[in-house]
Amino acid sequence: MLKCQKIFKLNKIILVLMIIFFTAAPIQAQTEKEIEFWTINLKNSYQNYFLNKISQYEADNPEIKIIWEDISFSSINQQLRYRIAEGNVPEVVNLSPQLMASLLKAELLFPISSLDKNYSSSYYPLLWENGSYQEQYYAFPWYLSSKLMVFNQEIFKIAGHNPAEIPETKTELFNLAEKITEKTGVYGLMPQIKIQHEFLEAGIDLFKVEAGQTKAAFNNQKAVEIIKNYQKLAAEGVIPADSLSAGFNIALERYQNNDLAILFTAPQFLSQIESESVYLNDVTALAAVPTAAEGVINAALMNLVIPKGADHKSEAADFAHFITSAEAQQEFSQLASVLPSAVIEESAEFETEEIIFRKKAEESLSSSAQKILRKQLPRYQDLTLVHPRADQLIKIMEEQFARAFAGKITAEAALNIMEEKWNQILAEVD
């Protein structure tokens, strides 16, 4: 009898344990939905920001566990492809448009537009469009950076131009640069010319489809005029002859030595101008980059994407939307001195400023720069050429434009060669 009682008690214990196990199993399963999140070169400087955001998200979504990995820019593409081939992919990955290109062509990314959610309303339209490919959307736009126009007010005055009259278009910019060089002998400007960007800013399509075949679409009169304008400025000495090869450091040095009137720069280099001399700091003013007719300003954008093989696509999209939300981006943009892709309700200080700024005596160049850059947010677009053979296509453009810029061939000849070589490569891809 005693033995039966012991067996009964043992069975009862086993039954209770089984009930606990099976009732707890669903809860345990809910907490094991892991989202692996990759960023690029951000952990050293912004670890606390991301850990706080992850903790906040996990607290609001207890069924989700975020696994954060920070990868170097040079290795992220290789590591991601290795994980895709292995069948064990991260759910949310930080990629530039350039890194996305080959993955899109290989259909390795998940179209977030296939989810029944209105994510697009959170972002500036041109930046959201950057994530489109074949009528689907694959990216949450995140943070970005761009350039602004830095100019020497004293040189403007010597040339007989009022520094308060800021050029807003490329035509006005080129006319002013010619006037400066003619009146002062100083180089008017030294842009870092990317001819494919020049075409896109002017509203010129790079590709077209004819009878199912992708072909070059940029060989037109508008493109001819763009190249001719740069040929003219180079021939007149308005733009230095070494502009295509010298690089930004030479342009900055010329500006610091008062040999260049207008400089295009990212804001992080303004400290070098401020520290060069009291005189240069005092005469330097800032403005938005003059644009072509379309009004687009090139920006370097970072995105968050979801690989096609991700296990938890919907949850991954929600987390990516959280990290790129207006609230999260406002905090991150101030912390990292980058620009947000999300539409943020600005303070009255930004609302009342004019579109074009001059540096106020009481504020630093960096402070003025942030106001200028943020005011232009609706006009920014990443003009990276998204194509699996982009490097080859860009090289062709750069080589032929360099020949035209140096006066070795005509603008028309340069475009004809570009078109012919592009079509050969595009035929191989299709």
Side-chain angles (χ1 to χ4, degrees), residues 173-394:
L173 172 68
F174 292 164
N175 290 339
L176 174 57
E178 287 183 293
K179 180 180 178 181
I180 289 170
T181 299
E182 180 186 350
K183 298 290 185 180
T184 69
V186 172
Y187 291 122
L189 67 158
M190 187 178 172
Q192 307 298 299
I193 307 168
K194 300 294 184 183
I195 195 61
Q196 73 274 18
H197 293 171
E198 298 285 330
F199 292 166
L200 290 168
E201 288 171 356
I204 299 172
D205 291 328
L206 299 184
F207 301 100
K208 61 184 177 182
V209 177
E210 291 183 351
Q213 171 68 53
T214 303
K215 294 185 177 181
F218 51 77
N219 192 356
N220 55 40
Q221 190 56 39
K222 190 183 286 188
V224 170
E225 292 304 316
I226 289 172
I227 296 178
K228 282 185 174 181
N229 282 335
Y230 280 117
Q231 286 177 314
K232 181 173 182 286
L233 293 171
E236 293 174 351
V238 178
I239 295 179
D242 62 355
S243 291
L244 300 184
S245 58
F248 172 76
N249 288 337
I250 299 300
L252 178 60
E253 182 181 327
R254 283 173 172 154
Y255 183 82
Q256 290 173 315
N257 293 333
N258 299 309
D259 292 330
L260 179 66
I262 299 170
L263 175 73
F264 297 102
T265 180
Q268 61 262 34
F269 295 103
L270 292 175
S271 60
Q272 295 185 46
I273 294 172
E274 289 179 307
S275 62
E276 177 65 24
S277 68
V278 174
Y279 163 78
L280 189 64
N281 182 50
D282 288 344
V283 300
T284 293
L286 312 176
V289 173
T291 65
E294 297 298 309
V296 173
I297 301 174
N298 184 40
L301 175 66
M302 278 293 186
N303 294 314
L304 293 183
V305 302
I306 301 170
K308 194 173 184 178
D311 291 329
H312 312 297
K313 296 181 179 66
S314 179
E315 292 83 358
D318 286 342
F319 175 71
H321 187 239
F322 166 78
I323 288 293
T324 59
S325 66
E327 180 184 357
Q329 287 207 53
Q330 184 170 34
E331 183 181 349
F332 185 65
S333 65
Q334 292 172 353
L335 183 67
S337 297
V338 293
L339 299 170
S341 64
V343 180
I344 298 170
E345 185 176 344
E346 296 289 10
S347 65
E349 179 186 14
F350 285 98
E351 292 291 341
T352 57
E353 292 280 3
E354 296 180 8
I355 292 178
I356 303 296
F357 298 81
R358 284 181 294 144
K359 183 182 71 112
K360 296 178 180 178
E362 68 274 13
E363 67 182 7
S364 68
L365 291 175
S366 298
S367 178
S368 295
Q370 286 304 311
K371 292 181 181 180
I372 296 168
L373 292 168
R374 291 174 77 93
K375 199 66 179 182
Q376 310 309 312
L377 276 167
R379 305 165 72 188
Y380 291 132
Q381 188 171 26
D382 191 308
L383 301 179
T384 299
L385 181 58
V386 178
H387 191 276
R389 304 280 285 277
D391 291 346
Q392 291 175 276
L393 298 174
I394 290 171

Side-chain angles (χ1 to χ4, degrees), residues 26-63:
I27 298 173
Q28 186 178 6
Q30 287 177 4
T31 61
E32 290 181 349
K33 193 173 284 187
E34 294 184 348
I35 302 295
E36 191 171 348
F37 170 43
W38 285 11
T39 56
I40 299 176
N41 295 340
L42 294 176
K43 191 169 188 176
N44 288 342
S45 300
Y46 310 110
Q47 177 169 304
N48 288 340
Y49 168 81
F50 284 105
L51 291 179
N52 288 337
K53 285 297 168 190
I54 289 169
S55 295
Q56 179 185 340
Y57 190 81
E58 288 178 339
D60 293 338
N61 300 271
E63 77 282 5

Side-chain angles (χ1 to χ4, degrees), residues 57-76:
Y57 190 81
E58 288 178 339
D60 293 338
N61 300 271
E63 77 282 5
I64 300 294
K65 177 68 176 176
I66 306 298
I67 309 298
W68 176 35
E69 296 287 342
D70 193 60
I71 315 293
S72 69
F73 186 88
S74 60
S75 66
I76 192 165

Side-chain angles (χ1 to χ4, degrees), residues 88-257:
N88 178 26
V89 301
E91 273 75 17
V92 179
V93 181
N94 173 195
L95 293 179
S96 66
Q98 181 181 9
L99 291 174
M100 285 175 57
S102 60
L103 297 172
L104 286 169
K105 184 69 176 179
E107 299 183 352
L108 295 176
L109 297 182
F110 172 70
I112 57 178
S113 52
S114 65
L115 298 172
D116 188 22
K117 296 191 178 181
N118 184 25
Y119 291 126
S120 64
S121 61
S122 300
Y123 310 96
Y124 289 100
L126 291 178
L127 297 174
W128 176 257
E129 287 298 323
N130 262 129
S132 67
Y133 182 74
Q134 295 183 346
E135 301 181 352
Q136 294 269 33
Y137 292 86
Y138 291 84
F140 291 92
W142 195 8
Y143 64 92
L144 59 142
S145 60
S146 189
K147 294 183 178 181
L148 64 161
M149 187 176 87
V150 177
F151 62 96
N152 187 313
Q153 298 177 86
E154 201 63 39
I155 294 176
F156 275 34
K157 292 175 183 177
I158 294 171
H161 183 84
N162 182 354
E165 296 177 2
I166 309 296
E168 296 186 41
T169 67
K170 284 284 181 73
T171 300
E172 292 173 356
L173 172 68
F174 292 164
N175 290 339
L176 174 57
E178 287 183 293
K179 180 180 178 181
I180 289 170
T181 299
E182 180 186 350
K183 298 290 185 180
T184 69
V186 172
Y187 291 122
L189 67 158
M190 187 178 172
Q192 307 298 299
I193 307 168
K194 300 294 184 183
I195 195 61
Q196 73 274 18
H197 293 171
E198 298 285 330
F199 292 166
L200 290 168
E201 288 171 356
I204 299 172
D205 291 328
L206 299 184
F207 301 100
K208 61 184 177 182
V209 177
E210 291 183 351
Q213 171 68 53
T214 303
K215 294 185 177 181
F218 51 77
N219 192 356
N220 55 40
Q221 190 56 39
K222 190 183 286 188
V224 170
E225 292 304 316
I226 289 172
I227 296 178
K228 282 185 174 181
N229 282 335
Y230 280 117
Q231 286 177 314
K232 181 173 182 286
L233 293 171
E236 293 174 351
V238 178
I239 295 179
D242 62 355
S243 291
L244 300 184
S245 58
F248 172 76
N249 288 337
I250 299 300
L252 178 60
E253 182 181 327
R254 283 173 172 154
Y255 183 82
Q256 290 173 315
N257 293 333

Side-chain angles (χ1 to χ4, degrees), residues 389-405:
R389 304 280 285 277
D391 291 346
Q392 291 175 276
L393 298 174
I394 290 171
K395 184 179 179 182
I396 290 166
M397 277 194 157
E398 289 178 341
E399 288 176 347
Q400 301 312 315
F401 174 69
R403 294 176 67 199
F405 185 80

